[in-house]
Each structure stands twice: as C-alpha cells, then as structure tokens.
C-alpha cells in the first residue's frame, strides 16, 4: 500500500490543488489581523486570507461557517460572525473548549491560520425581508446571530422591527461589548440583555432567557425568531415561543455536531439523512421535529 | 464495447495479469499469517484466489494518508513572524486490483456516490479511483455469511469493476471468462493478448453465475427490504430494541474497517519534530462505532452508548444512505462484519428484525 | 567534548529532579568530561517514568534510554523509586519480545552529590550504546512471517480433553438453566452463550426473560470470555456464566474493584476445552486456504474427545487438534469462584503455566527476526481495537489513551510503529493483570498473534514476582507493591 505519510516526490507525484476552491481539504492560509478578548472564555479573531484575489472574490451568506485551523494542532468549526456586508476581514469568535480552541486563544496578530470557508447553509435572509425579526442568543450563541443581525442593520430598510434578547451567565460572560453598546443605543432596534446572576449595579434584566422572553412577549405576526445557544436554552426558549404562538416554521436555530471534513464526506455529523455540515447548521424548528431524535 | 469478452486459461492467469498490469502496481490477495490481505503482487506471481479477509478498499482509500504538509518559514524581514506554506503533493500510482469479489468492487460504487458525486468532490479519492483498474472475480460459492443477493449486489455483479472474471471449468482444464465492463477495462484486457471467449465459454460463465445465485437463494431467500428505511426510522427511539441488538457488541471498529462500503474518516494534525515548524494533516479511517466519532468538546455525545452507535451503523446502511441515493443500500452483503465481529453480531438479523412489523408499537 | 569517538547517537535520559538531575549538575559544575549523546529530560521522580516513555523513545528512534532516580530508601517521595524499580525491571525483560536489545535501556540511582558517579554511569551506558550502534528500526526490518501459526500442528495437550457424554452434558446444562431461571428475577440479566450465525459459532446471550434461558448452550464452542461485559453493568446486579479461565478474569475484576462482589452472580461450569474456530475452519477446508471462505457445518455434535461436523462434507475432528492454545495446559478447568458450579467438578487440570507454542516460537527467533515478525504482523492491523475492547481488563474503552490527543501517545497514522505502539501499551497496561484468556487475539479480525506479547509479559511477571493474575481476590498486584529488598531483581551495575 502506498506509504502516504512520507512527503512524496516520486514519479507519480501529483499536486492536488492550491487552496480551498480547488481542493476542499486544503485551507487558504490567512493572517490574524486583530484579536479581542471578549470574555475570559471567548476570544475573537479577525483574519484576512493572504491571497488577495481569493479574499477579494470571497463571498458568503450569514450563518455559514468556516473550518479554522492551527497547523499542527487541528481544525475546528466556527461561524463567520462578521456580516457579508463588511468584508475587511472575516471574524470568528472562539469559546475555549478543548485542544484547538485553547490553541487558537494563544494567537496574536500576524500569526497564520488556515481557513476553509464558506461551508454549510445559511439563514434565509432573503425570505425574511419585510418581516419582524426576534433574535434570542445565549452565550457563544450570539456569534451566529451577530452576522445576520449586522447584515440586517446594514440593509435596515428591508426588514421590520428587530428585537434582540441576549443572555449570558454573568455580565463578564457577555461578548461583543462594543456591538452591544451600539445596539443598546440604536432606536431602530430593541435590545434587551439578561444575566443569570446579576450583580447590584447591573442595569439590565436578570433571569433566564425564556422567562425574559415571555416578559417581552414579541408578537408572532409576520415574524421570525432566530435562536442560538446551548441545547437546554434552545429547548426552553422554543417552549416560550410556542406559548407566544410562534409556528414551528417561524423558528430558526443552528445545530452543533462534532465535525471534521465540513463537506459531507467524513460521515460523523449526520442526524438521520441530514448532514449538519452541508444541510445545516441552520434549521427551522419544523425541520428539526422531522429529524430523528438524536441531538 | 458491448460484450467484450476474453478467455484466460488457468495456466495463463499470471501471465495475463502481468500484461494487464503493465505500468501499474497490481494488488492481489496474499496470505499473511492467518489472514488474506491485498498486497502488491510480484510479476509472475501466481495469485491467490481465496476471498480476502480485508476488502481492497485501502488501495483507493488508504488507512491513513497525508492531505497536505505544512512548512513554516521564518519571515526574513521580520524574524518574529513565520509564514506557512502548504504542500498538497501526493503520490498517485497507477494501480490494478485483482481478485476482489463483486461485493468488494461495488464498495467503490458506494464510495463514488459520496466522494465523487456529492456536494464536494474528493480530489484524493478521485485521483486514486481514476488511476485504479478493478479486476473482479465472480463468486462460485455461497459462504455462510454471504447475503449479497439481499442488497442489490450479487455473485456476478459488475458494479464498480472494470473487468469481471468468471471461473469456468475445473482444475487445469479450467480458466476464466474475462468480461470488460468499462472502456478502461477493454483497454487493459486488450493488453493481455487473449483469445476471445467463445459462445460455449460464455454460456459456461452464465451457468456459473446462475448456480451461485441459486445457491445463495437456497441458503437464505432474499427478504423484502423495501420497507426497511422507513421501519428503521420508526425504530429509532425504540430503546429496548437497540439494547437487545447491541447487548453483545463490544463497540470496536472491526465491522466497519472490514466493510467495503464504510467510508468514514478522521482528520488530525501531526507535527514533525518538536518545534512546530513542519507537520502534516492526516486523514485516517474512522468509524461510527467509536465514541470519539461524535463526542463534542463539551463532553456531550449524541451517541453516548454502543446501542446508539450501532443504531447509526445499521441506520446509515439500510435507511439514510438509500434515502439519499435512490434506494441503493450501503451494504453489499459481503458478510465480513459478521465473520469479523469478535462476538458475531449479525447485521442480517438486525435488519430483518427491524423490518418486521412490530406487535408492541415502538415507543417513538 | 565527546569522550567517545565516532558519531553521536541518540540517548535519552529521564532524570529525577531531586537526585540524579542534581548529580548531573554536580558533574557539570565539577567539569567532569561526559559524552554529549545524552538528551536529558527532567522528571519529578523516577516513579513518574511511565514505561511508555521508554518504549516511545525506543520505537521513535532513540538508540538508548537511561532512567536515573534517587537511591533506594532515599526517594524524595519516599517510595517512588521502589515502584519504579519494579516497573522498569518488568519493562527491561519485555523489550526483547519486540526484538529490542534490553541493553539499550538502563535504570540506575545517582544522588545529587555523586557527580563522579554520574559521570561514570553516563559514560558506561553511552559506551555500551555505542558498542550496539544505531538502533535498528522495527518498521525497516525485513518482514519475517514463519508458517501461519495455526497451520502448524499443535503440540499435544498436556491434559486429557474429553467432554462428558452428550446425556451428562445436557443434564448439567439443564441444572444450570434451572439455577439461572431461579436467580433471574433479582438480576438485570444473566450473560451466557447461544448458537450464533452458524453451527460453528456461538454468540453471547443476554438472558432477561425465563424463555431466553432455553437458548443457553454449553460446550466447546463457548469461546468468548463474558467477564468482559461485567464492568459496564455498574451498580446493577448481573449474572455471568463462566468457564474456568473466565473465572480468573472475574477474580481480577473483583480484586481491582472494577465490579462489586454484591452485584455479580457467577454461574460456573467445568470446562474441557474450547475450540479455536480458526483451526476448525482450516481443518475442514484444507485446500484453497480457507482464511475467509466460510465453512458452514449444518450441525456440530460433541463426542467426548472429538467433534462431529455434519454438512455437505461430514468431518470428525479431534478436540486436541483444534483446541484453543490456552486449553492445552489449563490448570483451572473448574471455575475458581462461582455461586454455582455445575458439571464435572473433577475435570482434570493441566500443569499450569508453561511456554505456550506461540511464546516458544517467539523465543526461538533472533531479535532481528522478532522485529521482522512484528513488522510483518502489525502491517495488516486495522486499528479497530477489537483486541482492546474484547479484553476483560481493558476497562478504559472510550477513554483509552490509544485515541486520545492529550496525552498524545499515538498518531492516527496507519504505520507499523503506531500500531505496534498500541500493542505495547496494551501489554504494559496488562502487566500483572492479564489472565491470559486470549480474547485479544481471538477477537482480532485479521488474526494477529497479539497474545504472544502478553504471554511474554506474564512470564516476566511470574519470574520476577512469582505472581499470576486472577487467582486470589485479595492478592496485591505486583506492580502496585514493592519490596525494599527485591528477591528477583538484580541491580544492573552501572
Ligand atoms: C456549525 C457549528 C458552528 C460553530 N460555531 C462556533 C462559534 O462560532 N464559536 C465557538 O466558540 N464554537 C463554535 N462551534 C463549536 C466549536 O466547533 C467547538 O467548540 C470546537 O470544535 C471544539 O474544538 P476543540 O478542538 O477545542 O475541542 P476538542 O474537544 O479537543 O475537539 C477535537 C475536535 O473535535 C471536533 N469537535 C469537537 N467538538 C465539536 C463541536 N461541538 N462542534 C464541531 N466540532 C467539534 C473538532 O474538529 C475539534 O477540533 C460551532 C460548532 C458547529 C458544529
Ligand atoms: S458489531 Fe462487532 S465488530 Fe462491530 S463494533 Fe460491535 S463488536 Fe465490534
Ligand atoms: S456505517 Fe458508520 S462507519 Fe460505516 S459508512 Fe456509515 S456512518 Fe460511516
Ligand atoms: S455491512 Fe457487513 S455485509 Fe454489508 S457490505 Fe459491510 S461488511 Fe459486508
Ligand atoms: S484486533 Fe487486530 S486489527 Fe484490530 S487493533 Fe487489535 S491487533 Fe489491530
Ligand atoms: S463534518 Fe464530515 S460529514 Fe459532516
């Protein structure tokens, strides 16, 4: 059997592509421009693909993800949380969880990473035009919402009322502070923050997301709700939305599954016939209910 | 190209193979210890005709392979910084696989649908598949765990092959009818300079196909599996059923690594040396019977126990894959997962029992 | 300044922080001239040196490995080096099984003040390694595949092998079934065997309902060691049917508190030997090499010391010719523990440990042949880990270090080194725990003789510590104990 491990230089040497566009396993090399320590556990990386032509032609839709890699450590999936309307850099926000995420937290501007993107499906932002949008984000779940929210703010006239409910465990666990400050100040959207444990001087809400949501009671008329967060939060938030008479088709969320290839081949991310990496990560609650119960 | 058939006398086989494999590495079954595995064959070597313990999928989908190497270099202008170069060079040898059985060759067809015709094309697989000629040996015996005839495969199924060889006649008198089933197969067969297979021999080959098929039917009539995809979904939440099916399973990966259709893999990085300046990204066989396959960083695992993992293996082969691929099941009935399983978990039994209407309605 | 002429070799030293590292320092401060081949890795204590450190270094291309700690009785942690001595000595006796020259590995004691001694130790060891030269790599050895092991005729068993007449056997089985039915209500399930996919193959049976018990079989086809399933029944009451050898695994599990005595009911039956299915296959289809071409007898009948296979070609095989290797010498045919022991309680025992044929075969090879042997054998390893998952004492399973990234012992490369490394991990982790049930090898779908490594290890443990695993629930495993003066360990004079 061919020893595929030793670097090859024999007569049959073949080069399989130069980047993601001609070899879906081959990342584009990118450079970290900036890093932001969002919370003790979340760090944001802003990166640009080194090949200017590739960066120039890079297109994606809000909700699509990338495989970010640190060579020698590995690859992990993160949503591109900058919007397609702002292409100075691609932004990823990374919660420290294991091997790759811990290593990514150690990066500084100038360091090299690999990017395979865009992957997966996206929020149907075109179908959402003209509708009221309710965003509900918990913890790192704010990342996928951010890209869609910013896209909509950049195309503000196309959408109706925008409501954001963002929750975290404590105030220090809230990411995207600058954005949040701006959103709080905007009159064309309604922003509510909540934390599980509120200190004395916390000017916002305290309490679990589903409770606060019931309190806010957004209308279901001509609306869609977009939720992201830990599974337990999703579960109870969906229950709250059902009480507010949102139909299953009006609720969007994203799924998480251990991923490797990101292109529907390696076989691990399926739920029944759906491969989260290519058929997801975005699903309506109606679609989720049709999937086998394996979350 | 219709019915391009040649005859290889038994004594001519090694020579014919040499000619067909000209310019290629020929893989053929070889006995190693108490197993039969595919290994590069030496010129003139008399090939073993026994069915191999491990299918030849590794020739096209190696147990592990380098996706690319990374090489970091210090930036000459700014010594604090490094740049990275990626090298995706791989060695793609022209190859020939001799002596796989129809169930083995059809495995490549199951791969093709995912690796070549899915949303993304896999360039590594594509290059090796393109470079490999598959010469398959039709079966003359029904092994006790063979059930190819249940799955759409069969003892003379040529799907995935370039050339199908059928043994005809016995002993030294005998030989093989070689039928090319692809253009490439024709070209390769032409190289061997063989006589045409005459009508009598073609009839003999037909008879061999029919006899083996009959033996299989006699051993285990093919059940109707048309309802299986739906039934497996109905069974999805039937915890008792999957517990009963998986009680004895050890949750190793023998069944999947022996399976000609199992195509899952892992991707990991390795450094060469301790300074992180060079290394490679590997892909290596992986399988859904392993806990790590789906364990997430949080520790959450959607397939926590072996019952849920076995459910995926059976479900993928007999429900999800056929739903995505026009009813084609991703099992060719080779039976290797049964014979190779240390505790004889029997996929036939699981599929049949899942398919049977259940009196106690599954608590879905 | 290299003291030794010639090319530098790669020698790795694991030095304890408190003594030997200080000793090396003292030597440096004293400007004693030393060979420069040594790469020093500081460890908190010689007791921290996992034998895998040494193996990984040697398999990875080191030409020699030296471990040095505080002198006995002088350990900073008082006993670390006593444990280390046992582990490292065990390792030293194991290395030849892989074809690695044991002289490439030494362990010794040097205190912080012994600069001169450190110099001598290093010089002597490095000189020895230079005499041996570059370490040959296993993956580069010429493949050596002597005749298929099981194709060779098996030496005659050292005990009589004869199952009771069919009637007696059925009567004992019926008694066993009765006892199981009676116990079933208070148990989650009872694990036994039933017929598998053909008459030659039994398969584990999980009995939950009384009617399941009817399927229970007993006889020479019950090859699996069902003790493997016990740890997964944590906090649940479970019954298990055992052969004599299987009972030793239960004892070992109890000894290591991996199962709770109150939660397991053991149903024992006396055993007259089980078959090696691979041997049966071969015996039944000697032509055209039957490795995977299935042999499907319509029925198998046990006739005392033989087995009658009915089918297209009826065959009668002598049990002695197709019996599993371990049964030839088995000295525990009657389970050593069991709430219920059925059957012929006076089943004749064999003489106990001797050199099993596959160990003898390994013994007979030169080191170079052994390297070639493992290279050729491991080449076809699928990394399926059936060997691990079938092992009753491999209880880590989903958390095994074979697949973890942290610690990162093995890569996912499909090469001989990584594959063999796992087999060494298995053998080392089983040192003093392996009951030689042979499940690892039986489970291997490509028939790699991995048991031989454990047999080698078991012999080492027996020789060094006079210990066999799985005999006494209350025994202390040898690698979890030490003696201040070790009876069978000679210091290696560095
Ligand atoms: C569609 C999608 C979008 C995501 N977006 C974000 C995001 O924007 N920000 C963020 O912080 N996290 C996100 N995650 C989760 C993130 O991918 C994991 O936390 C991360 O892969 C853990 O990697 P690790 O190496 O640190 O963990 P380890 O436990 O060491 O995992 C090893 C490898 O397994 C895989 N893996 C393990 N857990 C997961 C997982 N939950 N999802 C996918 N692959 C996994 C990865 O390949 C990972 O490198 C997303 C996951 C998915 C599936
Ligand atoms: S079915 Fe058999 S081979 Fe497959 S994981 Fe289970 S025990 Fe292993
Ligand atoms: S059965 Fe499992 S390992 Fe095999 S292809 Fe399907 S998901 Fe992959
Ligand atoms: S699932 Fe089993 S029988 Fe089917 S092709 Fe795979 S190994 Fe063969
Ligand atoms: S059972 Fe055999 S093939 Fe599988 S990992 Fe163990 S040695 Fe390798
Ligand atoms: S991540 Fe590989 S198939 Fe989805």
């Amino acid at each position: 059997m061919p020893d595929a491990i030793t670097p090859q230089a024999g007569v049959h040497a073949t080069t399989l592509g130069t980047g993601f566009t001609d070899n879906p396993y081959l990342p584009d090399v990118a450079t970290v421009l900036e890093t932001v320590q969002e919370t003790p556990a979340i760090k944001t990386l802003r990166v640009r693909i080194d090949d200017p032509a590739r960066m120039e032609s890079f297109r994606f839709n809000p909700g699509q993800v990338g495989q970010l890699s640190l060579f020698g450590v590995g690859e992990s999936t993160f949503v591109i949380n900058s919007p397609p309307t702002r292409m100075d850099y691609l932004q990823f926000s990374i919660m420290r969880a294991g091997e790759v995420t811990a290593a990514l937290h150690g990066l500084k501007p100038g360091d090299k990473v690999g990017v395979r993107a865009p992957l997966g499906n996206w929020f149907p932002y075109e179908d959402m035009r003209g509708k009221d949008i309710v965003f509900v984000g918990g913890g790192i779940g704010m990342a996928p919402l951010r890209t869609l929210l910013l896209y909509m703010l950049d195309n503000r006239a196309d959408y109706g009322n925008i409501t954001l409910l963002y929750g975290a465990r404590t105030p220090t666990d809230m990411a995207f502070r600058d954005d949040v400050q701006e959103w709080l100040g905007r009159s064309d959207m309604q922003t509510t923050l909540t934390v599980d444990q509120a200190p004395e001087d916390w000017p916002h809400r305290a309490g679990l997301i589903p409770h606060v949501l019931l309190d806010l009671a957004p209308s279901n008329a001509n609306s869609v709700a977009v939720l992201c967060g830990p599974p337990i939060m999703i579960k109870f938030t969906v229950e709250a939305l059902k009480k507010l008479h949102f139909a299953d088709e009006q609720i969007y969320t994203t799924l998480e599954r251990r991923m490797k290839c990101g292109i529907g081949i390696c076989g691990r991310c399926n739920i029944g016939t759906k491969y989260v990496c290519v058929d997801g990560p975005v699903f309506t609650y109606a679609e989720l209910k049709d999937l086998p119960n394996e979350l | 190209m219709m019915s391009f058939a040649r005859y290889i006398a038994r004594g001519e086989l090694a020579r014919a193979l040499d000619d067909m494999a000209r310019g290629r590495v020929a893989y053929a079954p070889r006995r190693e210890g108490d197993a039969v595995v595919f290994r590069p064959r030496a010129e003139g070597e008399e090939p073993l005709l026994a069915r191999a313990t491990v299918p030849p999928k590794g020739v096209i989908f190696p147990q592990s392979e380098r996706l690319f190497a990374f090489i970091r270099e210090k930036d000459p202008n700014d010594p604090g910084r490094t740049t990275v170069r990626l090298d995706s060079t791989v060695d793609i040898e022209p190859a020939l696989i001799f002596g796989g059985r129809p169930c083995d060759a059809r495995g490549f067809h199951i791969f093709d649908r995912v690796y070549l015709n899915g949303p993304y094309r896999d360039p590594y697989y594509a290059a090796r598949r393109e470079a490999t000629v598959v010469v398959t040996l039709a079966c003359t015996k029904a092994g006790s765990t063979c059930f190819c005839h249940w799955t759409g495969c069969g003892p003379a199924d040529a799907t995935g092959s370039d050339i199908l060889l059928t043994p005809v006649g016995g002993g030294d008198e005998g030989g093989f009818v070689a039928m090319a089933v692809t253009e490439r197969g024709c070209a390769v067969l032409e190289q061997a300079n063989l006589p045409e297979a005459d009508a009598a021999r073609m009839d003999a080959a037909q008879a061999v196909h029919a006899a083996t098929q009959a033996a299989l039917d006699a051993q285990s009539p093919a059940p109707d599996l048309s309802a299986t995809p739906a039934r497996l979904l109905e069974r999805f939440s039937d915890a008792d059923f999957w517990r009963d099916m998986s009680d004895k399973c050890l949750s190793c990966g023998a069944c999947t690594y022996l399976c000609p259709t199992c195509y899952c893999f892992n991707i990991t990085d390795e450094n060469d040396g301790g300074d992180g300046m060079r290394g490679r990204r590997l892909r290596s066989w992986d399988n859904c019977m392993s806990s790590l396959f789906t364990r997430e960083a949080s520790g959450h695992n959607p397939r926590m126990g072996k019952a849920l993992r076995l459910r995926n293996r059976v479900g993928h082969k007999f429900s999800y894959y056929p739903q995505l691929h026009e009813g084609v099941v991703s099992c060719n009935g080779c039976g290797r997962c049964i014979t190779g399983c240390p505790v004889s978990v029997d996929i036939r039994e699981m599929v049949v029992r899942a398919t049977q209407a259940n009196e106690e309605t599954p608590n879905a | 300044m290299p003291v030794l002429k010639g090319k530098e070799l790669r020698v790795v030293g694991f030095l304890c922080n408190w003594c030997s590292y200080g000793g090396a320092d003292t030597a440096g401060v004293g400007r004693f001239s030393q060979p420069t081949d040594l790469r020093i890795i500081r460890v908190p204590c010689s007791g921290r040196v996992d034998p895998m450190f040494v193996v990984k270094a040697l398999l990875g291309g080191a030409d020699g490995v030296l471990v040095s700690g505080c002198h006995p009785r002088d350990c900073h942690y008082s006993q670390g080096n006593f444990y280390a001595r046992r582990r490292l000595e065990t390792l030293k006796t194991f290395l030849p099984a892989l074809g690695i020259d044991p002289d490439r590995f030494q362990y010794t004691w040097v205190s912080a003040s012994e600069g001169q001694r450190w110099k001598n130790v290093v010089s002597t060891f490095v000189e020895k390694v230079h005499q041996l030269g570059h370490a040959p790599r296993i993956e580069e050895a010429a493949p050596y595949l002597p005749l298929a092991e099981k194709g060779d005729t098996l030496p005659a068993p050292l005990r009589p092998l004869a199952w009771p007449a069919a009637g007696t056997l059925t009567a004992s089985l019926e008694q066993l079934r009765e006892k199981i039915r009676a116990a079933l209500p208070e148990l989650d399930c009872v694990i036994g065997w039933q017929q598998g996919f053909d008459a030659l193959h039994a398969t584990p049976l999980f009995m939950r309902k009384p009617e399941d018990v009817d399927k229970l079989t007993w006889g020479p086809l019950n090859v699996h060691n069902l003790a493997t399933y016990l740890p997964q029944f944590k906090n649940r009451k479970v019954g298990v049917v055992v052969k004599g050898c299987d009972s030793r695994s239960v004892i070992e599990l109890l000894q290591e508190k991996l199962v709770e005595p109150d939660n397991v009911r053991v149903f024992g039956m006396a055993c007259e030997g089980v078959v090696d299915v691979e041997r049966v296959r071969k015996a039944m289809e000697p032509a055209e090499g039957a490795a995977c071409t299935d042999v499907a007898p319509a029925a198998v009948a046990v006739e005392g010391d033989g087995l009658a296979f009915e089918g297209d070609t009826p065959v009668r095989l002598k049990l002695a010719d197709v019996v599993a290797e371990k049964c030839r010498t088995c000295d525990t045919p009657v389970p050593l523990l069991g709430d219920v022991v059925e059957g012929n309680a006076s089943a004749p025992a064999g003489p106990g440990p001797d050199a099993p044929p596959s160990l003898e075969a390994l013994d007979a090879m030169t080191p170079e042949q052994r390297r070639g042997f493992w290279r050729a054998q491991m080449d076809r390893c699928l990394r399926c880990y059936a060997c691990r998952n079938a092992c009753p004492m491999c209880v880590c399973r989903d958390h095994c270090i074979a697949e973890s990234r942290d610690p990162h012992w093995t890569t996912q490369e499909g090469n001989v080194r990584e594959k063999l490394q796992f087999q060494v991990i298995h053998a080392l982790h089983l040192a003093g725990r392996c009951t030689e049930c042979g499940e690892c090898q039986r489970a291997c779908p490509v028939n790699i003789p991995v048991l031989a490594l454990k047999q080698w290890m078991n012999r080492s443990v027996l020789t060094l510590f006079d210990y066999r695993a799985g005999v006494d629930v209350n025994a202390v495993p040898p690698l979890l104990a030490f003696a201040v003066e070790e009876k069978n360990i000679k210091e290696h004079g560095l």
Side-chain angles (χ1 to χ4, degrees), chain C residues 83-268:
Chain C
Y83 290 105
R85 180 165 62 188
R86 284 199 163 192
R87 280 202 289 274
L88 297 174
E89 183 64 24
T90 308
L91 173 69
K92 201 166 164 64
T93 62
F94 177 71
L95 290 175
L98 306 171
I100 297 176
D101 192 324
D103 284 346
R104 292 189 183 277
F105 165 60
Q106 281 299 5
Y107 65 94
T108 190
W109 325 118
V110 175
S111 78
S113 58
E114 293 176 317
Q116 181 64 43
R117 173 165 158 73
W118 172 252
K119 174 206 145 101
N120 295 342
V121 160
V122 179
S123 306
T124 315
F125 180 62
V126 172
E127 191 176 312
K128 179 81 209 170
V129 175
H130 272 264
Q131 278 164 19
L132 297 170
H134 264 302
R137 306 290 292 262
I138 289 179
E139 57 267 44
E140 285 161 11
Y144 176 67
L145 271 176
L147 281 180
E149 315 75 50
K150 291 170 191 166
D152 307 337
T153 39
L154 192 66
L158 304 181
R159 55 179 280 229
L161 291 170
W163 286 83
T168 324
L169 200 59
T170 320
S172 314
L173 177 58
E174 206 36 68
Q175 282 172 20
L176 178 66
R177 285 186 180 135
E178 264 326 305
K179 302 245 162 74
I180 292 176
R181 281 193 201 96
L184 213 43
E186 33 188 284
L187 299 172
D188 191 277
C189 68
V190 177
I191 315 169
W193 299 263
Q194 66 178 325
Q195 189 189 314
F197 59 82
D198 67 22
L200 178 56
H201 292 85
T203 187
L205 166 69
F206 287 68
M207 294 169 269
R208 292 196 163 84
K209 301 191 286 283
E211 58 268 32
D212 297 337
V213 183
D214 303 341
K215 299 183 205 152
L216 180 69
T217 55
W218 179 252
L221 301 180
N222 293 6
V223 292
H224 323 78
N225 179 354
L226 306 175
T228 297
Y229 295 107
L230 292 179
Q232 79 196 36
F233 284 85
K234 218 168 171 53
N235 300 327
R236 282 181 288 163
K237 285 197 189 312
V238 59
V240 62
V241 189
V242 297
K243 310 184 284 289
C245 51
D246 308 338
S247 74
R248 289 181 57 197
S249 305
V250 181
I251 290 178
E252 194 60 25
L253 287 167
L254 287 166
Q255 185 202 76
E256 298 186 22
K257 305 205 167 20
L258 295 165
V259 299
E260 280 293 308
D262 293 343
N263 283 341
V264 48
R265 284 288 300 276
V266 179
F267 300 88

Side-chain angles (χ1 to χ4, degrees), chain B residues 140-144 211 214-216 218-219, chain C residues 199 284-285 294-300 308-316:
Chain B
T140 56
K141 263 196 293 197
S144 75
L216 284 161
Q219 176 178 296
Chain C
M284 289 183 70
E285 198 172 341
D294 304 343
V295 187
V300 182
F309 296 84
E310 288 153 35
D312 292 346
T313 39
V315 197
R316 190 172 190 285

Side-chain angles (χ1 to χ4, degrees), chain A residues 91-115:
Chain A
Q91 172 164 315
F92 300 94
S93 298
I94 294 138
M95 186 155 92
R96 186 198 295 266
E99 188 188 7
V100 176
T101 49
L104 287 172
H105 270 232
L107 291 180
K108 4 177 243 320
D111 287 344
K112 298 291 179 190
V113 291
V115 177

Side-chain angles (χ1 to χ4, degrees), chain A residues 98-99, chain C residues 399-401 403-410:
Chain A
E99 188 188 7
Chain C
H399 304 276
C400 172
I401 59 168
E403 290 151 298
S404 82
R405 294 273 304 179
D406 178 23
H408 192 41
W409 284 111
T410 59

Side-chain angles (χ1 to χ4, degrees), chain B residues 34 64 145 247-248 280 343, chain C residues 203 208 229 282 294 413:
Chain B
D34 280 327
S64 75
T145 52
D247 262 337
K248 64 189 173 189
R280 58 239 126 90
V343 293
Chain C
T203 187
R208 292 196 163 84
Y229 295 107
K282 282 197 173 166
D294 304 343
E413 277 147 310

Side-chain angles (χ1 to χ4, degrees), chain A residues 1-2 4-18 20 22-27 29 69-75 97-98 109-110 112 116 118-120 256-258 260-273 275 278 292-295, chain B residues 27 38 40 58-59 64-68 70 72 81-84 86 88-94 114-115 119-124 127 233 236-237 263-267 269 271 280-283 286 292-297 300 302-303 308 311-312 316 320 323-324:
Chain A
M1 221 144 281
I5 301 309
T6 45
Q8 291 98 356
V11 277
H12 302 300
T14 315
T15 301
L16 296 176
T18 56
F20 179 67
D22 50 9
N23 176 344
Y25 297 101
L26 199 59
V29 175
S69 54
L70 200 54
F71 301 108
V73 183
E75 222 177 8
K112 298 291 179 190
R116 294 193 292 130
L119 297 167
E256 204 173 304
R257 218 56 184 182
R258 185 177 174 112
K260 284 291 169 185
C261 72
I263 56 173
I265 303 184
C266 82
R268 77 194 56 236
C269 70
N270 73 305
I271 304 174
T273 57
Y275 285 80
V278 287
N293 178 18
E294 196 185 57
L295 300 175
Chain B
Y27 293 86
F38 283 84
V59 174
S64 75
E65 70 182 310
R66 196 190 78 172
L67 293 173
F68 58 83
F70 65 87
R72 289 185 202 274
R81 291 198 172 170
T82 51
T83 56
V84 187
L86 305 184
S88 64
T89 311
V90 293
D91 239 353
I92 306 289
E93 286 172 313
V114 176
Y115 279 69
Y120 292 84
R121 188 179 162 87
D122 187 300
Y124 302 82
L233 284 181
F236 198 86
S237 299
Y263 58 74
C264 292
F265 61 84
N266 194 359
I267 300 180
D269 278 22
N271 286 301
R280 58 239 126 90
R281 181 157 298 165
L282 305 171
R283 94 152 142 210
D286 201 352
L292 263 180
F293 194 62
T294 47
R295 192 197 297 157
E296 291 162 22
H300 171 66
R303 299 184 200 137
L308 304 190
R311 174 180 73 186
N312 185 69
H316 181 236
Y320 321 146
Q323 287 183 66
L324 293 171

Side-chain angles (χ1 to χ4, degrees), chain B residues 248-256 289 310 313 337 340-345 350, chain C residues 386:
Chain B
K248 64 189 173 189
C249 170
L250 301 171
S251 202
C252 64
C255 47
T256 60
M289 298 306 300
L310 191 70
R313 183 162 79 87
C337 57
C341 173
V343 293
S344 304
V345 171
M350 295 190 279

